[in-house]
């Protein structure tokens, strides 16, 4: 049985694998990893949120803007895409 710390690291690694599979458009991997993470949805959401926050921080630093501004741009992009394509198809 994995310790709490090992489980924590495992979830974050799986969440990163999910993002990487999404980037490379590997549908089978996306579904398999998502199914694995869905077994512990709260922990998976936490891991993905931490990863998103780290990505926003890197993006903000690279663009020389505040993290809040980077998030506002991300929100506008996602909401715009959802409005333009309400049934998916990003």
């Amino acid at each position: 049985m994995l310790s709490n710390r090992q489980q924590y690291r495992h979830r974050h690694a799986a969440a990163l694998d999910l993002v990487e599979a999404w980037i490379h458009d590997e549908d089978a991997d996306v579904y398999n990893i998502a199914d694995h993470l869905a077994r512990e949805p709260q922990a998976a959401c936490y891991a993905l949120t931490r990863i998103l926050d780290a990505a926003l921080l890197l993006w903000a630093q690279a663009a020389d803007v505040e993290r809040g501004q980077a998030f506002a741009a991300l929100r506008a992009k996602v909401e715009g895409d959802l409005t333009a394509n309400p049934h998916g198809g990003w």
Side-chain angles (χ1 to χ4, degrees), residues 3-82:
S3 71
N4 286 343
R5 183 136 182 90
Q6 289 170 321
Q7 289 176 19
Y8 175 83
R9 287 178 175 264
H10 181 72
R11 282 190 297 270
H12 281 71
L16 282 169
D17 290 345
L18 177 63
V19 172
E20 185 176 21
W22 182 271
I23 289 169
H24 296 294
D25 202 22
E26 298 167 348
D27 289 340
D29 289 340
V30 168
Y31 292 119
N32 289 336
I33 297 166
D35 283 345
H36 174 73
L37 289 171
R39 294 181 196 132
E40 295 183 57
Q42 183 177 5
C45 286
Y46 178 76
L48 288 168
T49 299
R50 285 186 51 123
I51 291 166
L52 177 59
D53 184 52
L56 281 171
L57 181 59
L58 291 171
W59 179 23
Q61 289 172 342
D64 197 26
V65 298
E66 297 291 322
R67 187 170 17 182
Q69 291 174 296
F71 180 74
L74 175 65
R75 179 184 287 277
K77 169 71 173 135
V78 170
E79 288 177 350
D81 287 352
L82 289 173

